[in-house]
Amino acid sequence: MQVMPAYERDPYRTELEVAVVEAGEDTGRPFAVLDDTILYPEGGGQPADRGWLDEVAVVDVRRSGDAIRHHLERPVPPGPARLRLDWARRFDHMQQHTGQHLLTAVALERFGWRTTAFHLGADVSDIELDAPSLTRTQLSALEEAVAAQVRGARSVSARRVTPEEYATLAVRSRGLPEGFAGEIRLVEIKGVDLNTCGGTHLRSTAELEALALLGTEPMRGGTRVFFVAGGRLRRRMAAHEERNAALRAALDAPESDFVALVERRRGEARELERQVGTLLGDLAVLEADALAASPGILLEAHYEGRDASFLQTVARRVAPNLGGRVAFLTAAHERGHFFAVVAGERCPKALSSLGAVVADALGGRGGGAGRIFQGKASSFAARVSALDALLAALSGNG
């Protein structure tokens, strides 16, 4: 007979007097092995429990061979201790895991969809069904069928059976692990499901409170179905209501108008963006023409709040009008600090060398093509120095 740990004997137990029988370190993290435990080790799609060994936090629980290692915030000595369970986390996992068993059983029995994978996430859980797709009508029908079993307050129980007894039972299972030996743990939802599982579960489907299907996505030729149950569903609804209240105030509209209102405002925003883009393009052309009309061998301009696209437009516009001159352009934007060196077609200096002088002075980097060298710097604190270095290079002194 296999010895059952306390988390399996009574998944509702939250405290236990234990003895630390082994203490060590694993990849730099201290751990303790106890003579018994109420903390579930990660496995079967269910995350590990959390808790406290005396006042030391248990940050993970994992199997290591036949032992269960409790990974700790700091080392503890061998000897007696009190183990406490993070019950809120455990009960949440019990609700989601029991919800998965019920959802999987109903999907198979009522609709013929077999579950091929399960993931219990921190906020949302999911199963993968061997159905190529699910319509909204099918999803609603599945959710309602699950709700009927929740209302039925079906008892949930666990037991261990011998391989011989297991062979006689109608068990829903993807099969036992290769080389498995010994007793087999079964979890039963009375009248609905009998399945192999080592996780912790509720006493009744009534404790699920409710289960909601959130949506689907294609996955490996099947369909991933996202769901939440119990307290997660209530918390999710509370967050939705809080968000909707804020949106009602911000949009000054009822919830039924949210989608149409947001779509209209998105369209208006896109049109405004188009108009702003056109105006900025026109402004860049004007800036380039004004710059080209300026005197001197080295022209320079800085554009605050303008991005690389604006700078490129100015550079392309001014380039054909420079002759033997050079323009040094900079633009500061929330996306970064951009610079450009533009050389006229009769400029006696190589564009690459002029660009390198500026990039070096600014502590930035860039590259050139045609008559324009473009780059990016972390700041323009050395802009004046860059301008002086560029002028020196043009004068043959740099």
Side-chain angles (χ1 to χ4, degrees), residues 238-295:
H240 282 326
E241 288 305 310
E242 184 177 356
R243 191 160 42 246
N244 283 349
L247 284 170
R248 284 194 297 271
L251 298 174
D252 191 24
E255 294 173 26
S256 58
D257 292 346
F258 282 178
V259 173
L261 185 58
V262 169
E263 286 180 346
R264 185 173 77 245
R265 292 191 179 181
R266 284 181 64 190
E268 292 169 351
R270 284 193 293 267
E271 175 58 22
L272 285 174
E273 288 177 0
R274 187 193 65 77
Q275 293 178 14
V276 168
T278 300
L279 291 173
L280 284 175
D282 293 343
L283 177 61
V285 169
L286 292 173
E287 290 285 351
D289 291 348
L291 186 65
S294 302

Side-chain angles (χ1 to χ4, degrees), residues 212-235:
L213 303 181
L214 306 179
T216 66
E217 69 177 19
M219 179 59 60
R220 290 185 279 268
T223 302
R224 176 176 283 172
V225 180
F226 298 95
F227 72 92
V228 289
R232 287 193 188 188
L233 177 53
R234 288 186 283 105
R235 289 189 294 273

Side-chain angles (χ1 to χ4, degrees), residues 104-381:
T104 289
V106 171
L108 180 62
E109 178 64 25
R110 290 284 302 275
F111 302 94
W113 302 324
R114 186 174 59 89
T115 295
T116 58
F118 161 56
H119 171 247
L120 199 165
D123 300 306
V124 174
S125 299
D126 62 83
I127 61 172
E128 292 178 26
L129 299 176
D130 64 355
S133 64
L134 272 72
T135 65
R136 169 46 62 181
T137 299
Q138 289 174 314
L139 207 62
S140 296
L142 176 57
E143 184 178 85
E144 180 54 41
V146 170
Q149 299 300 341
V150 173
R151 293 192 296 269
R154 302 281 188 172
S155 65
V156 183
S157 60
R159 68 180 189 273
R160 288 178 177 265
V161 299
T162 64
E164 292 75 20
E165 185 180 359
Y166 173 79
T168 68
L169 299 172
V171 179
R172 177 183 61 81
S173 174
R174 284 182 288 163
L176 299 173
E178 187 176 348
F180 181 88
E183 294 179 325
I184 302 157
R185 187 170 186 264
L186 303 178
V187 173
E188 180 176 12
I189 302 176
K190 192 170 181 60
V192 179
D193 188 42
L194 181 63
N195 184 37
T196 56
C197 186
T200 56
H201 298 274
L202 304 170
R203 295 188 182 109
S204 166
T205 60
E207 290 186 323
L208 272 173
E209 304 173 38
L211 185 146
L213 303 181
L214 306 179
T216 66
E217 69 177 19
M219 179 59 60
R220 290 185 279 268
T223 302
R224 176 176 283 172
V225 180
F226 298 95
F227 72 92
V228 289
R232 287 193 188 188
L233 177 53
R234 288 186 283 105
R235 289 189 294 273
R236 191 178 184 89
M237 282 298 300
H240 282 326
E241 288 305 310
E242 184 177 356
R243 191 160 42 246
N244 283 349
L247 284 170
R248 284 194 297 271
L251 298 174
D252 191 24
E255 294 173 26
S256 58
D257 292 346
F258 282 178
V259 173
L261 185 58
V262 169
E263 286 180 346
R264 185 173 77 245
R265 292 191 179 181
R266 284 181 64 190
E268 292 169 351
R270 284 193 293 267
E271 175 58 22
L272 285 174
E273 288 177 0
R274 187 193 65 77
Q275 293 178 14
V276 168
T278 300
L279 291 173
L280 284 175
D282 293 343
L283 177 61
V285 169
L286 292 173
E287 290 285 351
D289 291 348
L291 186 65
S294 302
I297 189 173
L298 176 59
L299 311 180
E300 64 95 8
H302 175 72
Y303 307 104
E304 195 66 30
R306 300 290 179 256
D307 61 10
S309 177
F310 183 88
L311 203 65
Q312 289 165 6
T313 301
V314 175
R316 286 195 296 267
R317 175 76 177 191
V318 79
N321 302 313
L322 289 177
R325 299 178 296 170
V326 171
F328 174 46
L329 311 175
T330 55
H333 190 269
E334 61 182 8
R335 298 193 187 103
H337 296 76
F338 308 98
F339 68 88
V341 178
V342 189
E345 60 181 6
R346 297 194 304 276
C347 177
K349 299 290 185 178
L351 175 68
S352 58
S353 64
L354 296 176
V357 165
V358 171
D360 184 61
L362 292 176
R365 57 183 180 178
R371 311 306 303 171
I372 303 171
F373 184 102
Q374 301 174 81
K376 189 174 183 180
S378 58
S379 77
F380 287 142

Side-chain angles (χ1 to χ4, degrees), residues 96 103 238 258:
Q96 310 315 311
L103 177 59
F258 282 178

